[in-house]
Amino acid sequence: MKRGFLKRSLQGATFLTAIASMLLVIGLVEVEAAPKPLTCSISPADGTTEVGVLIRFSGMTTGGSGQKTYSWDFSDGAGVPATAIDNNVDVTYSTAGGPFAVLLDVTDRNGDTANCSTTVTVTDRGTPATGEKLYLENCRMCHGLEAVGGFAQRDIRTAGATRISGAITRRADMNFLGTRANPLTAAEIDSIAAYLDTLPRGTDDIPRRGDLVVGEDQFRKSCTYCHSFGGTPIEPPRPGPDLMGVATNFSDAFLGAWVGFPTEMIDAGAYQGPLDPYRMPDLGHSDINAWDIAQFMLEQDGMGPMVDSDPVVLTPAEFEASRQDYFNLCAGCHGLFRTGATGPDIGALRSAQIGTDGLGAILYYGTPAGMGNFGQTGIMTQEQITNMAAYLQLPPPDAPPLEFPQIVNSWDLVIPVANRPTAPEHSRNWENYTGVILRDAGQVAIFDGDTNEEIVRLSTGFAVHILRSSSSGRYYYAIGRDGLVTMIDLWTTVPTIVANVKGCHDARSVDASKFPGFEDTYIIEGCYWPPQYVVYDGLTLKPKQKVDLPLVDIDGLPLIENRVASIVASHNDPVWVVSQKEAGFVSIVDYSDPLGLDFPMVANIPTAKFLHDGGFDNTGNYFLVAANASNLMVVVDLVTQSLAATIPTGLVPHPGRGVNWLDPVYGWVNATSHIGEGKVTVYGADPVGRPDVAWQIVREITLPSSGSLFIKSHPNSPWVLVDMTLSATGFDKDICAISKASGALDRCFTVATNGKAVHFEFNIDGSEVMVSDWDPDGAVIVLDSTTLTEVRRFTGLPTPTGKFNVFNTAHDIY
Ligand code: DHE
């Protein structure tokens, strides 16, 4: 009896097995142990490969006996074995797809068989082109643009896929490429290797050793506001983590890349810690500077906490220059006495905590929360910054009052009413004029919206801030930061300055009386300093009354300053609505005195502190104003003269006058954008028609960046437009459009070329909208308000900011 035959017969037959066992026992057959049944499996199970890339399958067996033969079938997917048939077989596939079947039949010496199967998924081979994209996104931060070294100091052009994946596994600072939510796949690594293979030879210009002196200087100048390096923590804390121990957690290559390319590193998933409240900003360091800073950090880590630089000692002239710089650049946000409002408290104590280095860093680079990058943009020289860092650590000087007789003395009636035209001297459509603020030139340029001509450029107050129209629209009132009100007559052949007056040392707001019967009758000017408002005759600017603001806030606490922020003129009552910034009251100022002598605050409505900018709802019965440092929009019912709601919309709301429109789902709504976060918040604003959502947040729309200053629309535009002027992440030239129909962000696009995109104004019929390119060599860009395509551009305008169409401003259309 052949052994093979017996064996085959034994399989699967218990009875015959028993007989065979008996025969074995009585010695009638050759003795052999019964084999286990033959089984097989394939490795890798459910594998992946790329087109044209070998994948090795291994057949594994248990049981059976003797030599096995393997018969593979890759016909599903047309895989072709590249080596002789064996238990290991290398296969290539020529087309992507799958999962394809991989079939294996195994036969043993006795002719017993087993079969098994798995699958393989085949992806397209990584090309150098895909590899380049992946390299730039994931590797170039550490290894350099040409892969010849970079911060990692390793030429990796000859690294194959195996070395790359090995490094990702072994190196702690590369682990994130394999452990993040979307790890690099084998195919992607292969593509990167294919790309590296194509690179020419080159040289790495990053020095092997960093310059520690430069590194320290750069670190102090750029990193110290956000990061401490040991020492006593401060409260509120700095935005970034303390850096003591940085050498334990990170390699020099990682730190260099992190300082040099933080945005790319964050996008690549390199930093696993919390990124709030602000992401590490890209400060534009060169590779070499980033490397110096990284080396300095490692060195400092071994030496212990870093000691802050001493402030410089200011001469009287330097102190005076810093006082002026503070007034021009800082007081608006931080208050004349530095107690904080739109910006935080930077009084002498807090400034000393932030330190000389930290103050210098923030003045130079700004913050994503909206602080301007005065050094980077050339607004302040390094010397001004150094002196300001010292000035801020000294107590603030006193500020002078401005009394009524001084205001009267400043009044200049350039053209008396009797000498002005009684009808327009021209045939232009003056209601479609738009005045453009040329901020740093202290000028207003006036454009004819029908003919698209610039008609005139007039000199107004220093750093002129806004224009408001008289209720008829005939007069523009410009307010300069120096408190100078300038009155411009639009009926003369070319617009002409007819009067001016200075009621404040520092101001941002002005408005006219708009209630029927009081057209063009009075003007109110609100002061940032002194804490007062002044009312003037609407046709001559002759001062009528100065009213002091109370120096007490809504909590009954005393104030050292209380600024008038936004003012709106009611169309429904003979009142102005006045926001008291520090105090947090919205005041109603009545101008109905029959004698025209008394303009009292008839109501002080407690709302929230740090009121700033705002405008009306659709009916004009509600005033919605940002309490921006309280992260609230405040809603004041002007009929009942009471607080209707506070809405926590987000970080530092800043709507300008804001926007209202008919939302298809929620009825009438208003909205604000924010300086502190990339978000537009929309809230119901129709307590009569839609009480269910009145003053409730109904939509939150994410923008690509924080730093927005203005949101605007027009009843005839399908869009709500929003800027991101103070973006610290590269969106300052862009604007975004939200569809009124869908309530969703439709598009964001670049409009500015030279400077920052800021503020919107529509023409009289809402068919076009203007955006400023805010730069010394600036422009006003005019877009079709439906297609949002550019229709024209007025160039050569120095620092254009706000724009005010006569009709829209007189009628509060936004
Ligand atoms: Fe303004 C409106 C205050 C910085 C452009 N700005 C306002 C108003 C206030 C104000 C209170 C509302 C007036 C009203 O409605 O009666 N602005 C301040 C500041 O305190 C702050 C933060 C700092 C400062 O020192 O002035 C400041 N503002 C700016 C700017 O940097 C802008 C972009 C350019 C500039 O002029 O300095 C700027 N602000 C404007 C504009 C408006 C405005 C264009 C009017 C918007 C509108 O459509 O009505």
Side-chain angles (χ1 to χ4, degrees):
M1 183 184 287
K2 281 191 173 170
R3 267 188 309 185
F5 174 75
L6 177 63
K7 269 177 128 173
R8 252 192 316 278
S9 309
L10 285 171
Q11 278 175 353
T14 313
F15 174 73
L16 289 178
T17 304
I19 298 290
S21 303
M22 277 166 45
L23 291 173
L24 284 169
V25 170
I26 60 177
L28 292 178
V29 293
E30 223 175 298
V31 176
E32 185 178 293
K36 288 188 178 147
L38 180 63
T39 65
C40 68
S41 62
I42 303 170
S43 171
D46 301 326
T48 57
T49 186
E50 294 167 37
V51 169
V53 175
L54 290 181
I55 180 167
R56 166 161 296 186
F57 295 104
S58 300
M60 288 163 300
T61 58
T62 60
S65 52
Q67 181 77 31
K68 285 94 182 172
T69 56
Y70 296 79
S71 171
W72 295 89
D73 182 352
F74 308 103
S75 54
D76 178 13
V80 179
T83 58
I85 290 177
D86 196 354
N87 70 315
N88 288 326
V89 59
D90 292 336
V91 188
T92 55
Y93 287 81
S94 56
T95 48
F100 299 128
V102 175
L103 307 172
L104 173 62
D105 288 339
V106 184
T107 308
D108 72 5
R109 188 178 58 190
N110 297 334
D112 293 337
T113 61
N115 41 56
C116 45
S117 66
T118 187
T119 65
V120 60
T121 302
V122 184
T123 54
D124 273 322
R125 176 107 201 250
T127 62
T130 39
E132 177 175 13
K133 184 167 177 298
L134 289 163
Y135 179 84
L136 293 178
E137 285 170 0
N138 296 285
C139 319
R140 73 105 194 185
M141 292 84 83
C142 291
H143 294 281
L145 203 55
E146 279 121 23
V148 292
F151 301 121
Q153 314 241 324
R154 295 246 189 332
D155 181 343
I156 56 164
R157 286 166 304 162
T158 54
T162 315
R163 260 179 67 203
I164 296 173
S165 49
I168 291 173
T169 316
R170 277 195 319 277
R171 291 199 57 103
D173 49 1
M174 286 180 73
N175 282 168
F176 70 92
L177 292 167
T179 55
R180 66 189 184 189
N182 58 336
L184 279 180
T185 64
E188 285 173 332
I189 292 173
D190 203 59
S191 306
I192 293 170
Y195 165 66
L196 291 174
D197 213 26
T198 66
L199 291 179
R201 301 199 73 73
T203 50
D204 179 8
D205 58 2
I206 297 177
R208 298 298 97 175
R209 293 176 62 81
D211 184 328
L212 296 179
V213 175
V214 174
E216 175 171 354
D217 181 57
Q218 292 290 316
F219 182 89
R220 287 184 187 273
K221 285 193 172 129
S222 55
C223 312
T224 43
Y225 170 64
C226 291
H227 300 282
S228 53
F229 214 127
T232 314
I234 64 172
E235 198 54 49
R238 296 173 203 271
D242 181 73
L243 295 176
M244 209 69 219
V246 76
T248 317
N249 300 323
F250 301 107
S251 69
D252 53 0
F254 188 98
L255 285 175
W258 183 240
V259 175
F261 307 100
T263 309
E264 287 93 329
M265 291 288 275
I266 289 169
D267 290 348
Y271 188 71
Q272 310 287 329
L275 294 165
D276 290 335
Y278 306 121
R279 294 176 138 221
M280 166 92 170
D282 192 337
L283 300 183
H285 287 296
S286 69
D287 289 3
I288 293 175
N289 275 353
W291 184 236
D292 293 340
I293 293 171
Q295 296 286 317
F296 166 73
M297 285 196 266
L298 297 180
E299 180 85 0
Q300 182 67 42
D301 203 34
M303 289 164 48
M306 204 177 91
V307 178
D308 187 38
S309 304
D310 286 332
V312 293
V313 177
L314 298 175
T315 65
E318 286 168 339
F319 183 89
E320 177 52 27
S322 295
R323 191 188 67 78
Q324 200 56 49
D325 283 344
Y326 183 86
F327 176 73
N328 292 343
L329 297 167
C330 318
C333 290
H334 299 280
L336 207 54
F337 297 100
R338 311 180 199 158
T339 48
T342 304
D345 165 18
I346 49 165
L349 281 177
R350 175 64 183 167
S351 289
Q353 282 186 326
I354 295 170
T356 306
D357 295 331
L359 291 168
I362 196 172
L363 284 162
Y364 192 88
Y365 288 105
T367 68
M371 167 72 193
N373 49 351
F374 294 154
Q376 250 181 342
T377 49
I379 292 171
M380 291 180 94
T381 62
Q382 188 55 56
E383 187 188 356
Q384 283 174 298
I385 289 175
T386 305
N387 291 351
M388 181 61 74
Y391 175 81
L392 291 175
Q393 294 178 69
L394 298 169
D398 279 344
L402 190 64
E403 300 298 354
F404 194 67
Q406 294 170 276
I407 298 170
V408 173
N409 276 343
S410 75
W411 176 44
D412 180 13
L413 182 59
V414 183
I415 302 179
V417 179
N419 298 346
R420 296 181 203 161
T422 51
E425 290 177 337
H426 53 77
S427 56
R428 291 178 186 274
N429 179 10
W430 53 273
E431 285 191 295
N432 196 23
Y433 284 179
T434 294
V436 176
I437 302 287
L438 305 178
R439 183 190 182 282
D440 293 358
Q443 293 178 325
V444 171
I446 298 178
F447 288 82
D448 181 330
D450 283 13
T451 64
N452 303 314
E453 294 164 88
E454 181 182 338
I455 315 169
V456 71
R457 221 174 264 200
L458 298 168
S459 288
T460 55
F462 163 78
V464 58
H465 207 76
I466 64 168
L467 289 174
R468 291 292 185 243
S469 290
S470 65
S471 63
S472 70
R474 172 177 176 171
Y475 296 107
Y476 268 139
Y477 303 99
I479 180 78
R481 194 166 286 226
D482 52 3
L484 188 74
V485 181
T486 305
M487 181 173 180
I488 301 167
D489 185 358
L490 304 181
W491 280 10
T492 43
T493 311
V494 290
T496 312
I497 293 175
V498 293
N500 48 56
V501 67
K502 180 178 158 79
C504 321
H505 290 303
D506 187 8
R508 300 292 182 280
S509 51
V510 66
D511 214 339
S513 52
K514 292 187 177 173
F515 187 62
F518 293 87
E519 290 90 349
D520 299 3
T521 308
Y522 301 123
I523 302 301
I524 183 172
E525 178 185 19
C527 298
Y528 260 22
W529 184 261
Q532 61 196 30
Y533 63 83
V534 186
V535 178
Y536 306 99
D537 178 88
L539 294 178
T540 63
L541 294 189
K542 181 178 179 191
K544 294 189 81 69
Q545 190 182 25
K546 170 179 90 81
V547 179
D548 293 335
L549 293 188
L551 285 174
V552 62
D553 73 10
I554 48 173
D555 302 319
L557 298 173
L559 296 167
I560 53 172
E561 73 179 309
N562 186 14
R563 295 178 281 174
V564 176
S566 44
I567 301 178
V568 289
S570 171
H571 297 261
N572 304 340
D573 291 293
V575 300
W576 289 298
V577 182
V578 173
S579 309
Q580 296 184 36
K581 184 187 284 287
E582 277 75 13
F585 290 105
V586 170
S587 299
I588 307 295
V589 174
D590 188 314
Y591 55 73
S592 64
D593 175 20
L595 300 176
L597 297 174
D598 197 21
F599 303 89
M601 282 181 281
V602 291
N604 273 326
I605 304 157
T607 60
K609 280 172 69 90
F610 310 116
L611 298 173
H612 192 69
D613 50 353
F616 291 117
D617 73 317
N618 160 59
T619 64
N621 285 332
Y622 293 91
F623 174 55
L624 295 95
V625 56
N628 53 24
S630 300
N631 303 323
L632 295 171
M633 283 301 295
V634 162
V635 186
V636 174
D637 183 336
L638 299 177
V639 178
T640 60
Q641 299 189 346
S642 61
L643 178 67
T646 53
I647 313 171
T649 59
L651 296 178
V652 196
H654 193 285
R657 277 169 294 164
V659 58
N660 55 70
W661 76 96
L662 192 58
D663 183 281
V665 181
Y666 301 108
W668 283 102
V669 293
N670 275 56
T672 187
S673 54
H674 299 82
I675 294 180
E677 63 180 307
K679 182 171 72 165
V680 167
T681 304
V682 184
Y683 21 93
D686 184 3
V688 177
R690 288 298 304 269
D692 55 324
V693 290
W695 321 129
Q696 307 293 317
I697 294 172
V698 293
R699 298 183 191 277
E700 291 185 298
I701 301 154
T702 303
L703 299 177
S705 172
S706 59
S708 177
L709 291 182
F710 298 107
I711 185 166
K712 194 75 170 283
S713 189
H714 184 282
N716 294 340
S717 172
W719 309 109
V720 173
L721 298 174
V722 58
D723 60 23
M724 292 166 288
T725 314
L726 303 180
S727 167
T729 50
F731 292 89
D732 54 349
K733 294 183 180 337
D734 296 6
I735 61 169
C736 295
I738 294 163
S739 161
K740 286 182 185 172
S742 68
L745 184 67
D746 186 87
R747 68 192 93 160
C748 297
F749 54 100
T750 303
V751 286
T753 48
N754 295 359
K756 298 164 184 292
V758 69
H759 194 252
F760 306 95
E761 180 57 300
F762 289 78
N763 61 353
I764 190 167
D765 65 6
S767 59
E768 292 180 351
V769 59
M770 289 175 151
V771 193
S772 299
D773 182 350
W774 182 11
D775 187 77
D777 181 17
V780 165
I781 301 134
V782 185
L783 307 176
D784 180 294
S785 83
T786 303
T787 62
L788 298 180
T789 51
E790 184 174 330
V791 289
R792 77 188 69 82
R793 186 175 281 246
F794 299 107
T795 55
L797 300 175
T799 57
T801 52
K803 300 159 292 297
F804 304 89
N805 174 272
V806 169
F807 186 86
N808 294 341
T809 310
H811 295 87
D812 288 283
I813 294 172
Y814 34 77

